Amino acid sequence: SDKPHPNKPVEVETLTSIIGVRGTEFRVATADAAFPYDRAEVIQGQVSNINTWKHSEIALSAGHGAVVDPNKAEMQAVALLPAPQVPKQGMVLRRPRAIWQFNPVPGAVAYRVIASGDETFNTIAYSAKVTKPETDLGQLPSNGPWYLRARAINPQGLEGLDAHSTIELRQPAWI
């Protein structure tokens, strides 16, 4: 039938898994060259993660994630790392090197930093995986206000909870 199914939950399907979504905020990452397994991270609500190759399933609740190895039926819910402590809203950074630093998170092996010109993050201007809790935002395309998210990444590749902040990017003081 071509009619919509309002009671059917949203499903995200990758090569090795199906993620069922029910009133939830979540992230899904498919296997890539950097990390060979699919990953699901639940921020709010609950998801059902099914390994389609091994016909196994795990329920994930808020603050948890799972890695799907297509060759193993067992999946384990892992607590996501907490949000890093980031500088207060409105910090002024000046080009050419506009280094934004935040506190490290115990257990993190890397960090994801995302910048957007809008607070809803509909358009992403910058997304980088960095090995230290800092990044150079001088490469953003324009001066002005920027909305930021930072999250810690655990050894399994699961990205943790978001920290939010803003910066004001400006030219060097001598211009």
Side-chain angles (χ1 to χ4, degrees):
S1 164
D2 291 338
K3 294 180 183 178
H5 301 281
N7 295 326
K8 183 176 180 188
V10 172
E11 291 183 348
V12 177
E13 188 170 350
T14 70
L15 184 61
T16 61
S17 53
I18 297 173
I19 314 300
V21 183
R22 290 161 182 80
T24 292
E25 181 182 342
F26 71 104
R27 299 185 297 251
V28 175
T30 190
D32 58 27
F35 197 80
Y37 306 115
D38 291 349
R39 296 161 320 275
E41 302 145 357
V42 181
I43 310 308
Q44 177 182 331
Q46 195 170 11
V47 300
S48 170
N49 191 347
I50 300 169
N51 180 335
T52 56
W53 287 22
K54 292 294 183 180
H55 307 289
S56 59
E57 181 175 5
I58 188 170
L60 297 172
S61 59
H64 290 82
V67 175
V68 179
D69 180 339
N71 300 308
K72 295 180 182 175
E74 183 180 320
M75 293 179 280
Q76 184 171 347
V78 176
L80 300 178
L81 291 174
Q85 289 184 333
V86 296
K88 64 180 173 135
Q89 305 277 340
M91 172 184 235
V92 174
L93 296 178
R94 296 192 179 273
R95 295 181 188 270
R97 286 183 38 106
I99 305 298
W100 187 63
Q101 297 177 313
F102 48 92
N103 291 338
V105 173
V109 297
Y111 300 89
R112 166 95 43 215
V113 177
I114 303 168
S116 176
D118 66 277
E119 64 184 316
T120 59
F121 286 80
N122 286 327
T123 304
I124 304 296
Y126 175 84
S127 178
K129 184 177 174 182
V130 295
T131 56
K132 295 186 223 174
E134 66 179 44
T135 193
D136 183 358
L137 296 174
Q139 57 194 299
L140 286 169
S142 63
N143 291 333
W146 288 96
Y147 298 89
L148 304 176
R149 290 181 180 162
R151 60 181 80 120
I153 302 173
N154 75 8
Q156 294 89 9
L158 294 171
E159 298 191 9
L161 302 176
D162 285 334
H164 301 270
S165 192
T166 61
I167 62 160
E168 179 73 31
L169 188 59
R170 296 183 184 167
Q171 291 294 8
W174 47 267
I175 290 184

